[in-house]
Every structure is written in structure tokens, then in C-alpha cells.
Amino acid sequence: MRAHLISDNHDSLVGMRLAGVAGEEAHGPEETARAVQEALQMEDVGILLITEKAAATIPDLIRDLREKAKLPLVVEIPDRHGTTREADFLTKYLHEAIGVKIE
């Protein structure tokens, strides 16, 4: 199994390629959705990395993949500018997912 990156910017793509992760650059919802669908057809992709900004263009597709798909594991990553999430995003995510409030 391997990882595959879908990025909305060239710098993140180059950085991940230097780390040995192949991928592609996609801009806009149509191009990003097409790139995700193509990655899903690759049998050896176990982890689909997608930059936060690219994922924000296709929120419904990302949610469906997380809820229904077994593989690949979808992981949103920050780009070179850093994360767009709040500092406590992980505790909010856990609260929404399993109903446990962590303080």
C-alpha cells in the first residue's frame, strides 16, 4: 500500500514528492473531484492525502469517503501556509464523532 497526494499548490506537491509520495495538483471542485476519483481507482493506494484547501472545495465527497469507504484512509493535511483549523479541532472532532467531551 502507498500514499497518494492531491494538493492545491505546487510547493506541497514538490515537498511530498521529495518524501517519496506521488500525487497531483488540482484546482477547483471539478478538478479536485476528478483527481480523487482517479486515486480511488488505483488499487495500491491505502492513504489519500489531500491538502485542507483542496478538501474544502469538495466537502461532501470527503465526508462520504470518510463515512462509507474502507480504503483509502483520507487524511487532510495543512499546506505550506499552515493549518486553517482551530487549535482545538481534534477535541471538537472527537466530540462530534463519539459524543465524548474532552476538557
Side-chain angles (χ1 to χ4, degrees):
M1 290 284 167
R2 68 180 178 95
H4 185 80
L5 171 70
I6 298 172
S7 175
D8 66 317
N9 67 75
H10 187 69
D11 293 336
S12 296
L13 182 61
V14 170
M16 293 301 282
R17 281 187 179 162
L18 289 171
V21 177
E24 62 184 290
E25 192 173 340
H27 300 280
E30 294 85 15
E31 198 173 321
T32 304
R34 179 199 49 78
V36 168
Q37 293 301 331
E38 287 177 3
L40 293 175
Q41 300 304 314
M42 299 175 193
E43 294 179 7
D44 61 338
V45 173
I47 301 172
L48 179 62
L49 302 168
I50 185 166
T51 57
E52 290 174 349
K53 290 181 183 178
T57 65
I58 53 168
D60 295 335
L61 179 57
I62 297 297
R63 185 186 65 249
D64 288 345
L65 287 173
R66 285 192 171 139
E67 291 176 356
K68 299 175 184 168
K70 292 182 180 180
L71 282 177
L73 172 67
V74 178
V75 180
E76 289 182 45
I77 61 170
D79 63 9
R80 66 187 171 123
H81 300 292
T83 187
T84 58
R85 301 177 192 173
E86 298 174 18
D88 64 341
F89 78 92
L90 191 54
T91 55
K92 285 183 181 181
Y93 180 74
L94 286 172
H95 180 67
E96 291 172 5
I98 58 176
V100 175
K101 187 172 183 176
I102 300 172
E103 305 222 6

Coordinates of all heavy atoms in Angstrom, one line a residue:
M1 N 0.8 -1.2 0.0 CA 0.0 0.0 0.0 C 0.9 1.2 0.0 O 1.9 1.3 0.6 CB -0.9 0.0 1.2 CG -2.0 -1.0 1.3 SD -3.3 -0.4 0.1 CE -4.2 -1.9 0.0
R2 N 0.4 2.3 -0.7 CA 1.2 3.5 -0.7 C 0.2 4.7 -0.5 O -1.0 4.6 -0.5 CB 1.9 3.6 -2.1 CG 0.9 3.8 -3.3 CD 1.7 4.0 -4.6 NE 0.8 4.1 -5.7 CZ 0.4 5.2 -6.2 NH1 0.8 6.4 -5.7 NH2 -0.4 5.3 -7.2
A3 N 0.8 5.8 -0.3 CA 0.1 7.1 -0.1 C 0.1 7.8 -1.4 O 1.0 7.7 -2.3 CB 0.8 7.9 1.0
H4 N -1.0 8.6 -1.6 CA -1.1 9.5 -2.8 C -1.6 10.8 -2.4 O -2.5 10.9 -1.5 CB -2.1 8.8 -3.8 CG -2.3 9.5 -5.1 ND1 -1.4 9.4 -6.1 CD2 -3.2 10.4 -5.5 CE1 -1.7 10.1 -7.1 NE2 -2.8 10.8 -6.8
L5 N -1.0 11.9 -2.9 CA -1.4 13.3 -2.5 C -2.2 14.0 -3.6 O -1.8 13.9 -4.8 CB -0.1 14.1 -2.2 CG -0.3 15.6 -2.0 CD1 -1.0 15.8 -0.7 CD2 1.1 16.3 -2.1
I6 N -3.2 14.7 -3.2 CA -3.9 15.7 -4.0 C -3.7 17.0 -3.3 O -4.1 17.2 -2.2 CB -5.3 15.3 -4.2 CG1 -5.5 13.9 -4.9 CG2 -6.1 16.4 -5.0 CD1 -6.8 13.4 -4.9
S7 N -3.0 17.9 -4.1 CA -2.7 19.2 -3.5 C -3.2 20.3 -4.3 O -3.4 20.2 -5.5 CB -1.2 19.3 -3.4 OG -0.8 20.6 -3.0
D8 N -3.5 21.4 -3.7 CA -4.0 22.6 -4.4 C -2.8 23.6 -4.7 O -3.0 24.6 -5.3 CB -5.1 23.4 -3.6 CG -4.5 23.9 -2.3 OD1 -3.7 23.2 -1.6 OD2 -4.8 25.1 -2.0
N9 N -1.6 23.2 -4.3 CA -0.5 24.1 -4.6 C 0.8 23.3 -4.9 O 0.9 22.1 -4.4 CB -0.2 25.1 -3.4 CG 0.3 24.4 -2.2 OD1 1.4 23.9 -2.1 ND2 -0.6 24.2 -1.2
H10 N 1.6 23.8 -5.7 CA 2.8 23.1 -6.2 C 3.8 22.9 -5.2 O 4.5 21.8 -5.2 CB 3.4 24.0 -7.4 CG 4.5 23.3 -8.1 ND1 4.3 22.2 -8.9 CD2 5.8 23.5 -8.1 CE1 5.4 21.8 -9.4 NE2 6.4 22.5 -8.9
D11 N 4.0 23.8 -4.2 CA 5.0 23.6 -3.2 C 4.8 22.4 -2.3 O 5.7 21.6 -2.0 CB 5.1 24.8 -2.3 CG 5.6 26.1 -3.1 OD1 6.3 25.9 -4.1 OD2 5.4 27.2 -2.7
S12 N 3.5 22.2 -1.9 CA 3.2 21.0 -1.1 C 3.4 19.7 -1.9 O 3.9 18.7 -1.4 CB 1.8 21.0 -0.6 OG 1.6 22.1 0.2
L13 N 3.1 19.7 -3.2 CA 3.3 18.6 -4.0 C 4.8 18.2 -4.2 O 5.2 17.1 -4.0 CB 2.7 18.8 -5.4 CG 2.8 17.7 -6.4 CD1 2.0 16.5 -6.0 CD2 2.2 18.2 -7.8
V14 N 5.6 19.2 -4.4 CA 7.0 19.0 -4.5 C 7.6 18.5 -3.2 O 8.4 17.6 -3.2 CB 7.8 20.3 -5.0 CG1 9.3 20.1 -4.9 CG2 7.4 20.7 -6.4
G15 N 7.2 19.1 -2.1 CA 7.7 18.6 -0.8 C 7.4 17.2 -0.5 O 8.2 16.4 0.0
M16 N 6.2 16.8 -0.8 CA 5.8 15.4 -0.6 C 6.5 14.4 -1.6 O 6.8 13.3 -1.2 CB 4.2 15.2 -0.7 CG 3.5 15.9 0.4 SD 4.0 15.4 2.1 CE 3.1 13.9 2.2
R17 N 6.7 14.9 -2.8 CA 7.5 14.1 -3.7 C 8.9 13.8 -3.2 O 9.4 12.8 -3.4 CB 7.5 14.7 -5.1 CG 6.2 14.5 -5.9 CD 6.3 15.1 -7.3 NE 5.0 14.8 -8.0 CZ 4.7 15.5 -9.1 NH1 5.5 16.3 -9.6 NH2 3.5 15.2 -9.7
L18 N 9.5 14.8 -2.6 CA 10.8 14.7 -2.0 C 10.8 13.6 -0.9 O 11.8 13.0 -0.7 CB 11.3 16.0 -1.5 CG 11.7 17.0 -2.6 CD1 12.1 18.3 -1.9 CD2 12.9 16.5 -3.4
A19 N 9.6 13.4 -0.3 CA 9.5 12.4 0.8 C 9.0 11.1 0.2 O 8.8 10.1 0.9 CB 8.5 12.9 1.8
G20 N 8.9 11.0 -1.1 CA 8.6 9.7 -1.7 C 7.1 9.5 -2.0 O 6.7 8.4 -2.3
V21 N 6.3 10.5 -1.8 CA 4.8 10.4 -2.0 C 4.4 11.0 -3.4 O 4.6 12.2 -3.6 CB 4.0 11.1 -0.9 CG1 2.5 11.0 -1.1 CG2 4.4 10.5 0.5
A22 N 3.9 10.2 -4.2 CA 3.4 10.7 -5.5 C 2.1 11.4 -5.4 O 1.4 11.2 -4.4 CB 3.3 9.5 -6.5
G23 N 1.8 12.2 -6.4 CA 0.5 12.8 -6.3 C 0.3 13.8 -7.5 O 1.0 13.7 -8.5
E24 N -0.7 14.6 -7.3 CA -1.0 15.6 -8.4 C -1.6 16.8 -7.8 O -2.1 16.9 -6.7 CB -2.0 15.0 -9.4 CG -3.3 14.6 -8.9 CD -4.2 13.9 -9.9 OE1 -4.6 14.6 -10.9 OE2 -4.4 12.7 -9.8
E25 N -1.5 17.9 -8.6 CA -2.0 19.2 -8.3 C -3.4 19.4 -8.9 O -3.6 19.0 -10.1 CB -1.1 20.3 -8.8 CG -1.3 21.6 -8.3 CD -0.2 22.6 -8.7 OE1 0.9 22.2 -9.1 OE2 -0.5 23.8 -8.7
A26 N -4.4 19.8 -8.1 CA -5.7 20.0 -8.6 C -6.3 21.4 -8.1 O -6.1 21.7 -6.9 CB -6.6 18.9 -8.2
H27 N -7.0 22.1 -9.0 CA -7.5 23.4 -8.6 C -9.0 23.4 -8.9 O -9.4 22.9 -10.0 CB -6.9 24.5 -9.3 CG -5.4 24.6 -9.1 ND1 -4.9 25.2 -8.0 CD2 -4.3 24.2 -9.8 CE1 -3.6 25.1 -8.0 NE2 -3.2 24.5 -9.1
G28 N -9.8 23.8 -7.9 CA -11.3 23.9 -8.1 C -12.0 22.6 -7.8 O -11.3 21.5 -7.8
P29 N -13.3 22.7 -7.6 CA -14.0 21.5 -7.2 C -14.1 20.4 -8.3 O -13.9 19.2 -7.9 CB -15.4 22.0 -6.9 CG -15.5 23.4 -7.3 CD -14.1 23.9 -7.6
E30 N -14.2 20.7 -9.5 CA -14.3 19.7 -10.6 C -13.0 18.9 -10.7 O -13.0 17.7 -10.8 CB -14.7 20.3 -11.9 CG -16.1 20.9 -11.9 CD -16.1 22.4 -11.4 OE1 -15.0 23.0 -11.3 OE2 -17.2 22.8 -11.1
E31 N -11.9 19.7 -10.8 CA -10.6 19.1 -11.0 C -10.2 18.2 -9.8 O -9.6 17.1 -9.9 CB -9.6 20.2 -11.3 CG -8.3 19.7 -11.9 CD -7.4 20.8 -12.3 OE1 -7.8 21.8 -12.8 OE2 -6.1 20.7 -12.1
T32 N -10.5 18.7 -8.6 CA -10.2 18.0 -7.3 C -11.0 16.7 -7.3 O -10.5 15.7 -6.9 CB -10.4 18.9 -6.1 OG1 -9.7 20.1 -6.3 CG2 -10.0 18.2 -4.8
A33 N -12.3 16.8 -7.6 CA -13.2 15.6 -7.5 C -12.7 14.6 -8.5 O -12.6 13.4 -8.2 CB -14.6 16.0 -7.8
R34 N -12.3 15.0 -9.7 CA -11.7 14.1 -10.7 C -10.5 13.4 -10.2 O -10.3 12.2 -10.3 CB -11.4 14.8 -12.0 CG -10.9 13.9 -13.1 CD -10.2 14.7 -14.2 NE -9.2 15.7 -13.7 CZ -8.0 15.4 -13.3 NH1 -7.5 14.2 -13.2 NH2 -7.2 16.4 -12.9
A35 N -9.6 14.2 -9.6 CA -8.3 13.6 -9.1 C -8.6 12.6 -8.0 O -7.9 11.6 -7.9 CB -7.4 14.8 -8.5
V36 N -9.6 12.9 -7.1 CA -9.9 11.9 -6.0 C -10.5 10.7 -6.7 O -10.1 9.5 -6.3 CB -11.0 12.6 -5.1 CG1 -11.5 11.5 -4.1 CG2 -10.3 13.7 -4.3
Q37 N -11.4 10.8 -7.6 CA -11.9 9.6 -8.3 C -10.9 8.7 -9.0 O -10.9 7.5 -8.9 CB -13.0 10.0 -9.3 CG -14.3 10.6 -8.7 CD -14.9 9.7 -7.7 OE1 -14.9 8.5 -7.8 NE2 -15.6 10.3 -6.7
E38 N -9.9 9.4 -9.6 CA -8.8 8.7 -10.2 C -8.0 8.0 -9.2 O -7.5 6.8 -9.4 CB -7.9 9.6 -11.0 CG -8.6 10.1 -12.3 CD -7.7 11.1 -13.1 OE1 -6.6 11.4 -12.7 OE2 -8.2 11.6 -14.1
A39 N -7.7 8.6 -8.0 CA -6.9 8.0 -7.0 C -7.7 6.8 -6.4 O -7.0 5.8 -6.0 CB -6.6 9.0 -5.9
L40 N -9.0 6.9 -6.3 CA -9.8 5.7 -5.8 C -9.7 4.5 -6.7 O -9.9 3.4 -6.2 CB -11.2 6.2 -5.6 CG -11.5 7.2 -4.5 CD1 -13.0 7.6 -4.6 CD2 -11.1 6.7 -3.2
Q41 N -9.4 4.7 -8.0 CA -9.3 3.6 -8.9 C -7.9 2.9 -8.8 O -7.8 1.8 -9.3 CB -9.5 4.1 -10.4 CG -10.9 4.7 -10.6 CD -12.0 3.8 -10.2 OE1 -12.0 2.6 -10.6 NE2 -13.0 4.3 -9.5
M42 N -7.0 3.6 -8.2 CA -5.7 3.0 -8.0 C -5.7 1.9 -6.9 O -6.0 2.3 -5.7 CB -4.6 4.0 -7.7 CG -4.5 5.1 -8.8 SD -3.3 6.4 -8.2 CE -3.6 7.6 -9.4
E43 N -5.5 0.7 -7.2 CA -5.7 -0.4 -6.2 C -4.6 -0.4 -5.1 O -4.9 -0.9 -4.0 CB -5.6 -1.7 -6.9 CG -6.8 -1.9 -7.9 CD -6.8 -3.3 -8.6 OE1 -5.9 -4.1 -8.3 OE2 -7.6 -3.5 -9.5
D44 N -3.5 0.2 -5.3 CA -2.4 0.2 -4.4 C -2.4 1.4 -3.4 O -1.5 1.5 -2.6 CB -1.0 0.0 -5.0 CG -0.7 1.2 -6.0 OD1 -1.6 1.9 -6.4 OD2 0.5 1.4 -6.2
V45 N -3.4 2.3 -3.5 CA -3.4 3.5 -2.7 C -4.1 3.1 -1.4 O -5.3 2.8 -1.4 CB -4.1 4.7 -3.4 CG1 -4.3 5.8 -2.4 CG2 -3.2 5.1 -4.6
G46 N -3.4 3.2 -0.3 CA -4.0 2.9 1.0 C -4.3 4.2 1.8 O -5.2 4.2 2.7
I47 N -3.6 5.3 1.5 CA -3.8 6.6 2.2 C -3.9 7.6 1.2 O -3.0 7.8 0.3 CB -2.6 6.9 3.2 CG1 -2.4 5.8 4.2 CG2 -2.8 8.3 3.8 CD1 -1.2 6.0 5.1
L48 N -5.0 8.4 1.2 CA -5.2 9.5 0.3 C -4.9 10.8 1.1 O -5.7 11.1 2.0 CB -6.5 9.5 -0.3 CG -6.9 10.7 -1.2 CD1 -5.9 10.6 -2.4 CD2 -8.3 10.6 -1.7
L49 N -3.8 11.4 0.8 CA -3.5 12.7 1.5 C -4.1 13.8 0.6 O -4.0 13.8 -0.6 CB -2.0 12.9 1.6 CG -1.2 11.9 2.4 CD1 0.2 12.0 2.2 CD2 -1.6 11.9 3.8
I50 N -4.8 14.8 1.2 CA -5.3 15.9 0.5 C -5.2 17.2 1.3 O -5.4 17.2 2.5 CB -6.8 15.7 0.1 CG1 -7.4 16.8 -0.7 CG2 -7.7 15.4 1.4 CD1 -8.7 16.4 -1.4
T51 N -4.7 18.2 0.7 CA -4.5 19.5 1.4 C -5.8 20.0 1.9 O -6.9 19.8 1.3 CB -3.8 20.5 0.6 OG1 -4.5 20.8 -0.6 CG2 -2.3 20.1 0.3
E52 N -5.8 20.7 3.0 CA -7.1 21.2 3.6 C -7.8 22.1 2.6 O -9.1 22.0 2.5 CB -6.8 22.0 4.8 CG -6.3 21.2 6.0 CD -5.9 22.0 7.2 OE1 -5.8 23.3 7.1 OE2 -5.7 21.4 8.3
K53 N -7.1 22.9 1.9 CA -7.8 23.8 0.9 C -8.4 23.1 -0.2 O -9.5 23.4 -0.7 CB -6.8 24.9 0.4 CG -6.5 25.9 1.5 CD -5.5 26.9 0.9 CE -5.1 27.9 2.0 NZ -4.2 28.9 1.6
A54 N -7.8 22.0 -0.7 CA -8.3 21.2 -1.8 C -9.6 20.4 -1.2 O -10.6 20.4 -1.9 CB -7.3 20.2 -2.3
A55 N -9.5 19.9 0.0 CA -10.6 19.2 0.6 C -11.8 20.1 0.8 O -13.0 19.7 0.7 CB -10.2 18.6 1.9
A56 N -11.5 21.4 1.1 CA -12.6 22.3 1.3 C -13.4 22.6 0.1 O -14.6 23.0 0.2 CB -12.1 23.6 1.8
T57 N -12.9 22.3 -1.1 CA -13.6 22.5 -2.4 C -14.6 21.4 -2.6 O -15.5 21.5 -3.4 CB -12.7 22.7 -3.6 OG1 -12.0 21.5 -3.8 CG2 -11.8 23.8 -3.4
I58 N -14.4 20.2 -2.0 CA -15.3 19.0 -2.2 C -15.7 18.4 -0.8 O -15.5 17.2 -0.6 CB -14.6 18.0 -3.1 CG1 -13.2 17.6 -2.6 CG2 -14.6 18.5 -4.5 CD1 -12.6 16.4 -3.2
P59 N -16.3 19.2 0.1 CA -16.6 18.7 1.4 C -17.5 17.5 1.4 O -17.4 16.5 2.2 CB -17.2 19.9 2.1 CG -17.8 20.7 1.1 CD -16.8 20.5 -0.1
D60 N -18.5 17.4 0.5 CA -19.5 16.3 0.5 C -18.8 15.0 0.1 O -19.0 13.9 0.7 CB -20.6 16.6 -0.4 CG -21.5 17.7 0.1 OD1 -21.5 18.0 1.3 OD2 -22.1 18.4 -0.8
L61 N -17.9 15.1 -0.9 CA -17.2 13.9 -1.3 C -16.2 13.4 -0.2 O -16.2 12.2 0.1 CB -16.4 14.1 -2.6 CG -15.6 13.0 -3.2 CD1 -16.4 11.8 -3.4 CD2 -14.9 13.5 -4.4
I62 N -15.5 14.3 0.4 CA -14.6 13.9 1.5 C -15.4 13.2 2.7 O -15.0 12.2 3.2 CB -13.8 15.1 2.0 CG1 -12.9 15.6 0.9 CG2 -13.0 14.8 3.2 CD1 -11.9 14.7 0.4
R63 N -16.5 13.8 3.0 CA -17.4 13.3 4.1 C -17.8 11.9 3.7 O -17.8 10.9 4.6 CB -18.5 14.2 4.4 CG -19.3 13.7 5.6 CD -20.6 14.5 5.9 NE -21.5 14.3 4.8 CZ -21.9 15.3 3.9 NH1 -21.3 16.5 4.0 NH2 -22.7 15.0 2.9
D64 N -18.3 11.7 2.5 CA -18.8 10.4 2.1 C -17.7 9.3 2.1 O -17.9 8.2 2.5 CB -19.4 10.4 0.7 CG -20.7 11.1 0.6 OD1 -21.3 11.3 1.7 OD2 -21.1 11.5 -0.5
L65 N -16.5 9.7 1.7 CA -15.3 8.8 1.7 C -15.0 8.4 3.1 O -14.7 7.2 3.4 CB -14.1 9.4 1.1 CG -14.1 9.5 -0.5 CD1 -12.9 10.3 -1.0 CD2 -14.2 8.1 -1.1
R66 N -15.0 9.3 4.0 CA -14.7 9.0 5.4 C -15.8 8.1 6.1 O -15.5 7.3 6.9 CB -14.6 10.3 6.3 CG -13.3 11.0 6.0 CD -13.1 12.1 7.0 NE -11.8 12.6 6.9 CZ -11.5 13.9 6.9 NH1 -12.4 14.8 7.2 NH2 -10.3 14.3 6.8
E67 N -17.0 8.3 5.7 CA -18.1 7.6 6.3 C -18.3 6.2 5.7 O -18.7 5.3 6.4 CB -19.4 8.4 6.2 CG -19.4 9.6 7.1 CD -20.7 10.5 6.9 OE1 -21.5 10.1 6.0 OE2 -20.8 11.5 7.6
K68 N -18.1 6.1 4.4 CA -18.5 4.8 3.7 C -17.4 4.0 3.2 O -17.6 2.8 3.0 CB -19.5 5.2 2.6 CG -20.7 5.9 3.1 CD -21.6 6.3 1.9 CE -22.8 7.1 2.5 NZ -23.5 7.8 1.5
A69 N -16.3 4.6 2.8 CA -15.2 3.8 2.2 C -14.3 3.1 3.2 O -14.1 3.6 4.3 CB -14.4 4.7 1.3
K70 N -13.9 1.9 2.9 CA -13.0 1.2 3.7 C -11.6 1.7 3.4 O -10.8 1.9 4.4 CB -13.1 -0.3 3.4 CG -14.4 -0.9 3.9 CD -14.4 -2.4 3.7 CE -15.7 -2.9 4.1 NZ -15.8 -4.4 3.9
L71 N -11.2 1.8 2.2 CA -9.9 2.3 1.8 C -10.1 3.2 0.6 O -11.0 3.0 -0.2 CB -8.9 1.1 1.3 CG -8.3 0.3 2.5 CD1 -7.5 -0.8 1.9 CD2 -7.4 1.2 3.3
P72 N -9.3 4.2 0.4 CA -8.2 4.5 1.2 C -8.6 5.4 2.5 O -9.7 5.9 2.5 CB -7.3 5.4 0.3 CG -8.3 6.0 -0.6 CD -9.4 5.0 -0.8
L73 N -7.7 5.5 3.4 CA -7.8 6.3 4.5 C -7.6 7.8 4.0 O -6.6 8.0 3.4 CB -6.8 6.0 5.6 CG -6.7 7.0 6.8 CD1 -8.0 6.9 7.6 CD2 -5.5 6.6 7.6
V74 N -8.6 8.7 4.3 CA -8.5 10.0 3.8 C -7.9 10.9 4.9 O -8.5 11.0 6.0 CB -9.8 10.6 3.3 CG1 -9.7 12.0 2.9 CG2 -10.4 9.7 2.2
V75 N -6.8 11.6 4.7 CA -6.2 12.4 5.7 C -6.0 13.8 5.1 O -5.3 14.0 4.1 CB -4.8 11.9 6.1 CG1 -4.1 12.8 7.1 CG2 -4.9 10.4 6.6
E76 N -6.6 14.8 5.8 CA -6.4 16.2 5.4 C -5.1 16.7 6.0 O -4.9 16.5 7.2 CB -7.6 17.1 5.8 CG -8.8 16.8 5.0 CD -9.9 17.7 5.4 OE1 -9.7 19.0 5.6 OE2 -11.1 17.2 5.6
I77 N -4.3 17.4 5.2 CA -3.0 17.9 5.7 C -3.0 19.4 5.5 O -3.5 19.9 4.5 CB -1.8 17.2 5.1 CG1 -1.7 17.4 3.6 CG2 -1.8 15.7 5.5 CD1 -0.5 16.9 3.0
P78 N -2.3 20.1 6.3 CA -2.1 21.6 6.0 C -1.1 21.7 4.9 O -0.3 20.9 4.6 CB -1.5 22.1 7.3 CG -0.9 21.0 8.0 CD -1.7 19.7 7.6
D79 N -1.2 22.9 4.2 CA -0.2 23.2 3.2 C 0.9 24.0 3.8 O 1.1 24.1 5.0 CB -0.9 23.9 2.0 CG -1.5 25.2 2.3 OD1 -1.2 25.7 3.4 OD2 -2.2 25.8 1.5
R80 N 1.7 24.6 2.9 CA 2.9 25.4 3.4 C 2.6 26.6 4.2 O 3.4 27.1 4.9 CB 3.7 25.8 2.2 CG 3.0 26.8 1.3 CD 3.8 27.1 0.0 NE 3.0 27.9 -0.8 CZ 3.3 29.1 -1.3 NH1 4.5 29.5 -1.0 NH2 2.5 29.7 -2.1
H81 N 1.3 27.0 4.2 CA 0.9 28.2 5.0 C 0.4 27.8 6.4 O 0.1 28.7 7.2 CB -0.2 29.0 4.3 CG 0.3 29.5 2.9 ND1 1.2 30.5 2.8 CD2 -0.1 29.1 1.7 CE1 1.4 30.7 1.5 NE2 0.6 29.9 0.8
G82 N 0.4 26.5 6.6 CA -0.1 26.1 7.9 C -1.6 25.7 7.9 O -2.2 25.8 6.8
T83 N -2.1 25.3 9.0 CA -3.5 24.8 9.1 C -4.5 25.9 9.1 O -4.2 27.0 9.6 CB -3.7 23.8 10.3 OG1 -5.0 23.3 10.2 CG2 -3.5 24.6 11.6
T84 N -5.7 25.6 8.6 CA -6.8 26.6 8.7 C -7.7 26.2 9.8 O -8.7 26.9 10.0 CB -7.5 26.6 7.4 OG1 -8.0 25.3 7.1 CG2 -6.7 27.0 6.2
R85 N -7.4 25.2 10.5 CA -8.3 24.7 11.6 C -8.0 25.4 12.9 O -6.9 26.0 13.1 CB -8.1 23.2 11.8 CG -8.3 22.4 10.6 CD -8.0 20.9 11.0 NE -8.0 20.1 9.7 CZ -7.6 18.9 9.7 NH1 -7.3 18.3 10.8 NH2 -7.7 18.2 8.6
E86 N -9.0 25.4 13.8 CA -8.8 26.0 15.1 C -7.9 25.1 15.9 O -7.7 23.9 15.7 CB -10.1 26.1 15.8 CG -11.1 27.0 15.1 CD -12.5 27.0 15.7 OE1 -12.6 26.6 16.9 OE2 -13.4 27.4 15.1
A87 N -7.3 25.7 17.0 CA -6.4 25.0 17.8 C -7.0 23.7 18.5 O -6.3 22.7 18.7 CB -5.8 25.9 18.9
D88 N -8.2 23.7 18.8 CA -8.9 22.6 19.4 C -9.7 21.7 18.5 O -10.7 21.1 18.9 CB -9.7 23.0 20.6 CG -10.9 23.9 20.2 OD1 -10.8 24.4 19.0 OD2 -11.8 24.0 21.0
F89 N -9.3 21.7 17.2 CA -10.1 20.9 16.2 C -10.2 19.4 16.5 O -11.2 18.8 16.3 CB -9.5 21.1 14.8 CG -8.3 20.3 14.5 CD1 -8.4 19.1 13.9 CD2 -7.0 20.8 14.8 CE1 -7.3 18.3 13.6 CE2 -5.9 20.0 14.5 CZ -6.0 18.8 13.9
L90 N -9.2 18.9 17.1 CA -9.2 17.4 17.4 C -10.2 17.1 18.5 O -10.9 16.1 18.4 CB -7.8 16.9 17.8 CG -7.6 15.4 17.9 CD1 -8.0 14.8 16.6 CD2 -6.2 15.1 18.2
T91 N -10.3 17.9 19.5 CA -11.2 17.6 20.6 C -12.7 17.8 20.1 O -13.6 17.1 20.4 CB -11.0 18.5 21.8 OG1 -11.0 19.8 21.5 CG2 -9.7 18.1 22.5
K92 N -12.9 18.8 19.2 CA -14.2 19.0 18.6 C -14.6 17.8 17.7 O -15.7 17.4 17.7 CB -14.2 20.3 17.8 CG -14.3 21.5 18.7 CD -14.4 22.8 17.8 CE -14.4 24.0 18.7 NZ -14.6 25.2 17.9
Y93 N -13.6 17.3 17.0 CA -13.8 16.2 16.1 C -14.2 15.0 16.9 O -15.2 14.2 16.6 CB -12.6 15.9 15.3 CG -12.7 14.8 14.3 CD1 -13.5 14.9 13.2 CD2 -12.1 13.5 14.6 CE1 -13.6 13.8 12.3 CE2 -12.2 12.5 13.7 CZ -13.0 12.6 12.5 OH -13.1 11.6 11.7
L94 N -13.5 14.7 18.0 CA -13.9 13.6 18.9 C -15.3 13.7 19.5 O -16.0 12.8 19.5 CB -12.8 13.4 20.0 CG -11.5 12.8 19.5 CD1 -10.5 12.9 20.7 CD2 -11.6 11.4 19.1
H95 N -15.6 14.9 19.9 CA -16.9 15.2 20.5 C -18.0 14.9 19.4 O -19.0 14.3 19.8 CB -17.0 16.6 21.0 CG -18.3 16.9 21.6 ND1 -18.8 16.3 22.8 CD2 -19.3 17.8 21.2 CE1 -20.0 16.8 23.1 NE2 -20.3 17.7 22.1
E96 N -17.8 15.4 18.2 CA -18.8 15.2 17.1 C -18.9 13.7 16.8 O -20.0 13.2 16.5 CB -18.4 16.0 15.9 CG -18.6 17.5 16.1 CD -18.1 18.3 14.9 OE1 -17.7 17.7 13.9 OE2 -18.0 19.5 15.0
A97 N -17.7 13.0 16.7 CA -17.7 11.6 16.2 C -18.3 10.6 17.3 O -19.0 9.7 16.9 CB -16.3 11.2 15.9
I98 N -17.9 10.8 18.5 CA -18.3 9.8 19.5 C -19.0 10.3 20.7 O -19.5 9.6 21.6 CB -17.1 9.0 20.0 CG1 -16.0 9.9 20.6 CG2 -16.5 8.1 18.9 CD1 -14.9 9.1 21.2
G99 N -19.2 11.6 20.7 CA -20.0 12.2 21.8 C -19.4 12.4 23.1 O -20.0 12.6 24.1
V100 N -18.0 12.3 23.1 CA -17.3 12.4 24.4 C -16.7 13.8 24.4 O -16.0 14.2 23.5 CB -16.2 11.4 24.5 CG1 -15.3 11.6 25.7 CG2 -16.8 10.0 24.5
K101 N -16.9 14.5 25.5 CA -16.3 15.9 25.6 C -15.0 15.8 26.4 O -15.0 15.3 27.5 CB -17.3 16.8 26.3 CG -16.8 18.3 26.3 CD -17.8 19.2 26.8 CE -17.3 20.6 26.7 NZ -18.3 21.6 27.0
I102 N -13.9 16.2 25.8 CA -12.6 16.1 26.5 C -12.3 17.6 26.9 O -12.3 18.5 26.1 CB -11.6 15.6 25.6 CG1 -12.0 14.1 25.1 CG2 -10.2 15.6 26.2 CD1 -11.1 13.5 24.1
E103 N -11.9 17.7 28.1 CA -11.5 19.1 28.6 C -10.1 19.2 28.9 O -9.4 18.3 29.2 CB -12.3 19.4 29.8 CG -13.8 19.3 29.4 CD -14.7 20.4 30.0 OE1 -14.1 21.4 30.5 OE2 -15.8 20.3 29.8

